[in-house]
Amino acid sequence: MGSELLKIAEGFSTIAEGLRGLAKAEGGTKTAEKETGKTQQEQPPVTEKAQQEQPATLEGIRALMAQKTQEGKSKEVKELLQKFGAAKLSAVKPEDYPALMQEAQAL
């Protein structure tokens, strides 16, 4: 029973990381929206090319993973993390960030 609870806790941890990424990604747009009166829909979408030009940071990867999870690819996201030897994003080695970002974009 203990191992099952640990698996459930890991799942909640992964979900929480994704939600944190979403909150961080939307946190800046909410402030800008209040100041300018523009909604997120009026702003030009971020292209995949622009995402590739940005350096791979934990926050950027977290936001991308959250986006992929919302697109219904949570199983693929989890498998990708496991490929890099991690059960959660914070356990991925920083030197693996660029490769992880590239593979996540390909999902």
Side-chain angles (χ1 to χ4, degrees):
M1 173 121 170
S3 64
E4 292 173 4
L5 291 174
L6 287 174
K7 286 180 184 179
I8 292 170
E10 261 321 300
F12 283 133
S13 177
T14 303
I15 292 169
E17 283 184 31
L19 291 174
R20 275 189 217 101
L22 282 175
K24 285 181 181 180
E26 290 188 10
T29 59
K30 297 281 183 189
T31 305
E33 187 177 308
K34 288 178 185 177
E35 292 174 2
T36 62
K38 292 184 179 182
T39 63
Q40 190 176 13
Q41 295 164 347
E42 295 171 358
Q43 298 172 356
V46 177
T47 63
E48 189 170 311
K49 184 179 179 183
Q51 284 181 345
Q52 289 176 348
E53 291 173 1
Q54 297 173 358
T57 63
L58 181 63
E59 292 79 20
I61 296 170
R62 183 172 281 134
L64 178 61
M65 297 287 220
Q67 176 188 353
K68 296 297 181 181
T69 299
Q70 278 193 332
E71 292 173 1
K73 299 179 180 179
S74 57
K75 180 181 177 187
E76 290 88 346
V77 166
K78 196 171 198 176
E79 289 171 353
L80 186 57
L81 287 172
Q82 290 174 350
K83 179 179 177 181
F84 285 89
K88 54 185 181 178
L89 184 56
S90 60
V92 174
K93 297 175 192 167
E95 59 266 18
D96 290 335
Y97 288 176
L100 176 60
M101 181 79 129
Q102 189 175 17
E103 290 195 36
Q105 287 170 343
L107 289 179

